[in-house]
Amino acid sequence: MSTSWIVLGVIAVIAFFLFATYNRLVALRQRVDQSFADIDVQLKLRHDLIPNLVETVKGYASHERGTLEEVIKARNAAMGAQGPGQVAAAEQQLTGALGRLIALAEAYPDLKANANFQQLQTELSDIENKIAAARRFFNNAVSEYNTGIQQLPAALFAGALGFHPKQFFDLGESRAQVEAAPTVKF
């Protein structure tokens, strides 16, 4: 009789451990999903700001049509991207196009002095800083999640329960360019 209680106790401890580990992994996965949603919110703000910026520049530099169209094309691609990898690649292209758009201000003193353009540039700089912070939070959450599913004993059953490694929000080669906050000159 006492052997069956011991076996039952061991099974109860193992079951408790499995439930606790599963719940921990679910919480980590939720944190990753929530932090990616935070990035998405900041990117949406950025995407909403771009048409105003383009329209302001268009009034002063209408013959710079190629640059303006490139920004709009990159924005549309970024809005349609799905998942961390695609979003990172699309945002990398958008950042480059925005950099060229902002550089136009140097060639057009009237545009550079325009209060609306200055305000939009300041908002863009603020959003870029928030995106960088959200990206760091996301990558931290992914790191904790990936570590959680790879550590023993969770590694023994994490894959079978649907817990697979997540991809970091990696900027690739242009990391240094994007991590530098945009310069706002008046």
Side-chain angles (χ1 to χ4, degrees):
M1 185 75 156
S2 65
T3 307
S4 60
W5 283 108
I6 293 173
V7 170
L8 192 57
V10 169
I11 291 173
V13 167
I14 291 172
F16 175 77
F17 174 76
L18 289 175
F19 285 128
T21 302
Y22 179 82
N23 287 339
R24 181 177 164 268
L25 294 178
V26 167
L28 288 172
R29 182 173 52 196
Q30 286 299 105
R31 185 171 176 224
V32 169
D33 293 343
Q34 182 263 329
S35 61
F36 187 73
D38 290 347
I39 291 174
D40 202 36
V41 166
Q42 296 303 322
L43 293 176
K44 173 104 173 77
L45 291 173
R46 181 186 194 200
H47 297 159
D48 291 346
L49 181 68
I50 290 171
N52 295 332
L53 191 59
V54 168
E55 285 302 314
T56 301
V57 172
K58 194 185 290 185
Y60 288 90
S62 58
H63 61 282
E64 300 284 353
R65 189 168 220 51
T67 303
L68 299 173
E69 288 173 356
E70 183 182 346
V71 170
I72 295 299
K73 181 180 173 186
R75 174 188 178 261
N76 291 340
M79 290 178 68
Q82 299 292 318
Q86 286 183 356
V87 170
E91 290 301 323
Q92 181 179 353
Q93 289 181 341
L94 180 57
T95 297
L98 277 174
R100 289 185 287 284
L101 181 70
I102 297 299
L104 285 177
E106 297 299 319
Y108 298 93
D110 290 342
L111 172 61
K112 192 174 176 179
N114 181 287
N116 190 33
F117 182 76
Q118 290 175 354
Q119 178 188 359
L120 291 170
Q121 222 177 359
T122 301
E123 286 179 39
L124 181 61
S125 178
D126 184 47
I127 290 171
E128 294 292 342
N129 289 333
K130 289 177 181 176
I131 290 170
R135 191 174 53 244
R136 283 190 303 273
F137 184 76
F138 173 77
N139 284 340
N140 183 53
V142 168
S143 177
E144 288 179 13
Y145 171 80
N146 287 345
T147 300
I149 64 172
Q150 293 171 0
Q151 289 178 330
L152 285 175
L156 299 175
F157 61 89
L161 294 175
F163 295 98
H164 304 289
K166 299 283 186 176
Q167 187 177 9
F168 288 97
F169 197 97
D170 189 20
L171 298 175
E173 298 171 6
S174 69
R175 179 185 318 266
Q177 174 191 2
V178 174
E179 286 181 350
T183 315
V184 178
K185 298 179 182 177
F186 297 101

